[in-house]
Amino acid sequence: MSTPDEQPTIEDVLARAREASKELAAVLDDPALWEPIWKRPRKPKTDGEKKEELRKQRRRLQDAGRRRFFAGQSRQPRSRQNRIGNAAARRDARAEGIRPVPMRPPPRDPPDRPPF
């Protein structure tokens, strides 16, 4: 790469930078035509919308509470998997004499395929 014969002066460089900064400021001041929804400011909810949302939330939580209550009243026993949650509890259960669930052996390859 060769350098040009005459170098620009500091004044020329500053003048070009000022012009470019004015153009850049004009571009940045223009409002964006499209903005992603996650960057838009939130629209405040009216009082009616807030109350409706709270009404739905209260109803959802009450229904969940009813389901939880009646699940506790159920006479159906819980599954073994739910009774024995972690490894320590499983070991304790085995020590108490509850038979563990036998594991299935891994599947075998068919004999007609080469083993690789």
Side-chain angles (χ1 to χ4, degrees):
M1 288 179 26
S2 63
T3 56
D5 293 335
E6 42 179 85
Q7 295 287 333
T9 63
I10 295 286
E11 290 81 19
D12 292 340
V13 172
L14 277 174
R16 288 177 62 198
R18 284 190 186 112
E19 289 174 21
S21 69
K22 287 177 188 171
E23 290 175 13
L24 186 61
V27 168
L28 291 177
D29 285 341
D30 289 342
L33 298 176
W34 180 83
E35 193 174 17
I37 194 161
W38 58 86
K39 289 192 176 181
R40 292 181 198 158
R42 290 187 180 184
K43 187 187 86 159
K45 293 180 183 172
T46 63
D47 287 344
E49 289 172 338
K50 286 181 198 171
K51 287 182 180 179
E52 182 63 31
E53 189 176 344
L54 288 173
R55 218 174 282 127
K56 286 180 182 176
Q57 182 183 16
R58 188 180 314 114
R59 179 74 181 172
R60 195 175 63 239
L61 291 172
Q62 285 174 347
D63 289 346
R66 283 190 198 99
R67 280 193 305 271
R68 226 174 271 123
F69 174 75
F70 284 110
Q73 299 296 311
S74 169
R75 304 299 296 152
Q76 189 173 10
R78 292 187 329 218
S79 69
R80 182 174 189 280
Q81 196 65 33
N82 288 342
R83 281 194 318 253
I84 303 171
N86 56 28
R90 263 196 302 277
R91 278 193 301 273
D92 294 345
R94 285 191 191 116
E96 292 172 8
I98 297 175
R99 210 173 87 232
V101 177
M103 290 183 57
R104 283 191 288 175
R108 294 170 45 164
D109 291 333
D112 57 341
R113 289 178 39 201
F116 53 82

